[in-house]
């Protein structure tokens, strides 16, 4: 069994999605037949793309929900259908105890992701942490400090909105 967790940007441009999807497929191909388990918070953007590709590769999905109110307060309307579909497809769902979606809840969820992972897949543009905590760069640094190998996915042409 190979357990891969994901961290990544939520604000991917529409043109980036197929590029990242293809790069994820190439990475996940290495783990075909190894009892692939993908661990994701299934947020909009990289987390959901990863979860979809894990399922397409025949892997199992483990979902970590950062807080008890996450679906109601944080999932944008345009992502709700995808979120609900991935949640229903998950083999395991862990809802973190925090009642409110906030930076501390995200950091706690990221810690659980990393505890479940043999490797971290980071859909990341390489930018340093913002100092707010809980972001993609923070999770990459946390994984590196814990000795967890990181596979960075950021294909040529990928970009973030704004």
């Amino acid at each position: 069994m190979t357990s891969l967790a994901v961290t990544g940007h939520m604000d991917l441009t529409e043109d980036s999605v197929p590029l990242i999807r293809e790069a994820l497929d190439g990475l996940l191909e290495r783990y075909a037949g190894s009892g692939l388990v993908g661990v994701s918070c299934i947020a909009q953007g990289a987390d959901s793309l990863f979860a979809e590709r894990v399922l397409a590769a025949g892997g199992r999905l483990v979902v970590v929900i950062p807080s008890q109110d996450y679906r109601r307060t944080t999932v944008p309307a345009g992502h709700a259908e995808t979120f609900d579909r991935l949640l229903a497809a998950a083999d395991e769902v862990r809802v973190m105890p925090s009642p409110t979606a906030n930076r501390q809840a995200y950091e706690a969820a990221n810690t659980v992701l990393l505890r479940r992972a043999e490797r971290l897949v980071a859909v990341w543009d390489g930018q340093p942490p913002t100092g707010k905590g809980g972001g993609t760069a923070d999770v990459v640094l946390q994984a590196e400090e814990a000795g967890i190998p990181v596979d960075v996915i950021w294909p040529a042409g990928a970009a973030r909105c704004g």
Side-chain angles (χ1 to χ4, degrees):
M1 181 171 75
T2 302
S3 180
L4 305 175
V6 67
T7 188
H9 301 302
M10 296 174 65
D11 58 348
L12 303 170
T13 64
E14 190 176 318
D15 290 343
S16 297
V17 171
L19 301 171
I20 291 168
R21 186 178 292 128
E22 183 178 346
L24 286 168
D25 286 345
L27 175 73
L28 295 174
E29 205 172 79
R30 292 190 256 168
Y31 302 102
S34 69
L36 174 64
V37 176
V39 186
S40 174
C41 290
I42 63 172
Q44 180 174 303
D47 286 13
S48 291
L49 283 173
F50 172 81
E52 289 172 337
R53 302 327 301 157
V54 165
L55 292 171
R60 295 183 328 114
L61 180 61
V62 173
V63 172
V64 179
I65 305 296
S67 68
Q68 294 171 20
D69 72 344
Y70 185 82
R71 168 64 173 83
R72 182 175 44 83
T73 63
T74 308
V75 175
H79 180 61
E81 183 180 326
T82 299
F83 183 92
D84 292 343
R85 179 175 43 79
L86 291 171
L87 192 62
D91 282 2
E92 179 185 339
V93 177
R94 176 166 179 189
V95 180
M96 299 297 289
S98 176
T100 307
N102 58 31
R103 195 57 60 192
Q104 291 166 324
Y106 302 144
E107 289 174 353
N110 290 336
T111 297
V112 169
L113 286 175
L114 291 177
R115 283 190 188 138
R116 298 287 305 259
E118 294 169 50
R119 300 186 72 85
L120 177 68
V121 176
V123 180
W124 178 44
D125 62 4
Q127 293 299 308
T130 62
K132 295 178 186 176
T136 302
D138 298 296
V139 180
V140 169
L141 291 174
Q142 190 178 352
E144 290 173 343
E145 289 169 1
I148 298 169
V150 178
D151 295 304
V152 176
I153 300 286
W154 198 253
R160 298 172 68 183
C161 299

